[in-house]
Amino acid sequence: MSTRRSFITSSAAGLAALAASPSVEALSLPPAPAKGKPLVISTWDTGLAANLGAWKVLSKGGRALDAVEAGVMVTEASQNCCVGLGGNPDREGIVTLDACIMDEQFNCGSVAALERIKHPISVARRVMERTPHVMLVGEGAQQFAVAQGFPLEPQKLSPDAEQAYKEWLKTSQYKPVVNIENSGSKKQVGPVGGANNHDTIAMLAQDAQGNLSGSCTTSGMGFKMRGRLGDSPLIGSGLFVDNAVGAAAATGQGEDVIRIAGAHTVVELMRQGMAPKAACKAAIERVARIKGDKAKDIQVCFIAISAQGQHGAFALQKGFSYAVCDAQNQQQLIQAEYLLK
Ligand code: SD4
């Protein structure tokens, strides 16, 4: 007996109806040709330098996956910012790192609560490529990294992080500061730490072949509880890529990104026909509805690119910028629109 669904999928008219219907998976449809490629976007002003790292790969016709790894490695290795081992520690004084990566074929890898490894994004990629798993955490993630030849770095805070931690110990209050990720922020030694506290970089790229990939790496919220994970290592929250539809990534208060499965939500909204910025805005509105009055105390931001090569972003609060690099704009920083005026 043929069901209505099997009838629709087997007729030409049905295929047209499927394409028009917002509720139907776009997975089976061929991706539309991309216009803006190659293209890379990433969060905060630190994304400018990271994008150039990615652009070295993209401009030579390289793969988006290689670009998003190389790009955020620039930030992880940076001496004066706090993605990577220079990041603010947890409340026990230990730096723990989270990262994830996803390619155009739904391959993904992730590490969380990883200690003493300089490039968590590369370990996440190894998890993706060399294990049957998606995610490794804590001791097991570190053991895997060492087995893969990643050197174990000293357990030591950067001078900025050490100063911030000492300041934090005076009150020991967990109170994240909105937009502290901007390197242009005024020095903020206080509840969540010092200047140059860029807790996360998320990056999305489309290569010359039109394929999408994304990466996300962070030391997490400064002075978090030991063992706390945010959205950044979680595929579907901090990052999601569907090559036929688009890619999205998040930064900001991880708990509130997780609550709405943020990056996946943005991609699903694009699947329903929304442009990247509109999809990011709708996801932010969802966060705001859930948080009510408390929305003013947090920052949440999304960036997205579509399979057609459009990009966009939206934030809950003023102050979020994202960096764009394509053939026309190698150094563009865009102030994102925001919801709470
Ligand atoms: C987290 N989302 O750990 C991260 C923090 C972040 O910019 O994005 N900061 O919740």
Side-chain angles (χ1 to χ4, degrees), residues 97-318:
L97 304 176
D98 304 333
C100 71
I101 193 160
M102 188 162 186
D103 77 4
E104 76 281 3
Q105 294 174 320
F106 296 97
N107 296 311
C108 44
S110 161
V111 287
L114 177 62
E115 295 174 17
R116 298 177 59 189
I117 300 290
K118 188 172 175 184
H119 287 300
I121 196 64
S122 301
V123 186
R125 183 167 176 176
R126 296 282 176 93
V127 172
M128 172 175 108
E129 291 178 340
R130 300 193 185 176
T131 80
H133 307 303
V134 165
M135 191 164 194
L136 292 179
V137 306
E139 242 178 78
Q142 191 189 68
Q143 201 178 319
F144 171 70
V146 170
Q148 288 290 311
F150 291 86
L152 212 46
E153 306 291 336
Q155 178 83 269
K156 195 170 172 293
L157 294 183
S158 71
D160 273 355
E162 192 168 355
Q163 193 204 349
Y165 184 55
K166 280 188 188 145
E167 285 297 323
W168 178 79
L169 283 173
K170 290 178 187 168
T171 60
S172 300
Q173 273 182 16
Y174 181 69
K175 198 165 179 299
V177 172
V178 166
N179 295 330
I180 199 163
E181 296 88 346
N182 277 316
S183 62
S185 308
K186 292 202 183 83
K187 193 170 172 79
Q188 299 195 53
V189 175
V192 288
N196 304 325
N197 179 2
H198 326 274
D199 279 311
T200 297
I201 182 160
M203 175 177 278
L204 306 171
Q206 184 171 45
D207 60 31
Q209 291 70 44
N211 286 324
L212 300 170
S213 290
S215 61
C216 190
T217 179
T218 188
S219 53
M221 300 305 272
F223 316 114
K224 59 196 174 186
M225 285 177 70
R226 183 136 180 86
R228 176 266 186 192
L229 297 183
D231 59 310
S232 302
L234 299 180
I235 297 295
S237 286
L239 174 69
F240 193 69
V241 179
D242 181 332
N243 210 44
V245 176
T251 181
Q253 185 78 34
E255 284 76 4
D256 294 303
V257 177
I258 294 171
R259 243 180 271 291
I260 65 155
H264 183 259
T265 292
V266 173
V267 171
E268 291 308 305
L269 291 168
M270 288 196 284
R271 193 192 304 282
Q272 292 174 22
M274 286 190 184
K277 187 166 92 179
C280 293
K281 184 178 182 204
I284 291 290
E285 284 168 345
R286 198 174 291 186
V287 172
R289 268 199 305 278
I290 292 167
K291 296 299 283 185
D293 283 351
K294 291 189 180 139
K296 65 180 184 331
D297 303 328
I298 60 164
Q299 175 65 299
V300 174
C301 326
F302 292 109
I303 58 171
I305 58 183
S306 67
Q308 291 77 25
Q310 290 174 291
H311 59 82
F314 208 84
L316 185 58
Q317 311 251 10
K318 188 176 181 180

Side-chain angles (χ1 to χ4, degrees), residues 10-34:
S10 63
S11 73
L15 279 177
L18 276 179
S21 164
S23 60
V24 169
E25 294 279 310
L27 282 174
S28 53
L29 300 175

